Amino acid sequence: ELLGLLHHPNIVRLFGYCEKNINNEHKLCIVMEYIEGKDLSKIIQENNISISDKIFILKQIVSALNHIHRRDI
């Protein structure tokens, strides 16, 4: 049910999950879309990003979080 609620351009797509017991330990696996490239923290650390670009990135993050919170997730 959760998977159907998270369609947003700034949220990685979730395809499913699995639960397994391995050596008497409960394990959870999340299956999600593969996004090629560096993670955001590396991009920010390795590049001289302008304040306006940082604000643009922050607005995208806030948009994704707002999408999630409007669905009570």
Side-chain angles (χ1 to χ4, degrees):
E1 180 181 342
L2 174 66
L3 300 177
L5 297 175
L6 293 178
H7 292 287
H8 189 276
N10 299 324
I11 299 174
V12 66
R13 286 185 301 160
L14 301 175
F15 297 122
Y17 72 97
C18 63
E19 299 179 65
K20 297 198 180 248
N21 273 320
I22 300 173
N23 297 330
N24 293 323
E25 288 187 41
H26 185 78
K27 302 288 184 177
L28 179 64
C29 169
I30 299 173
V31 182
M32 65 179 123
E33 171 184 21
Y34 174 76
I35 306 288
E36 190 171 340
K38 296 179 181 179
D39 65 53
L40 181 58
S41 64
K42 288 201 187 285
I43 293 170
I44 291 171
Q45 289 171 2
E46 295 173 358
N47 297 286
N48 186 16
I49 297 179
S50 69
I51 293 296
S52 61
D53 285 344
K54 289 177 182 175
I55 291 170
F56 177 77
I57 292 167
L58 183 60
K59 285 181 178 180
Q60 292 180 49
I61 294 168
V62 169
S63 173
L65 287 172
N66 185 44
H67 178 80
I68 291 169
H69 288 301
R70 281 186 308 205
R71 284 149 183 81
D72 294 324
I73 299 173

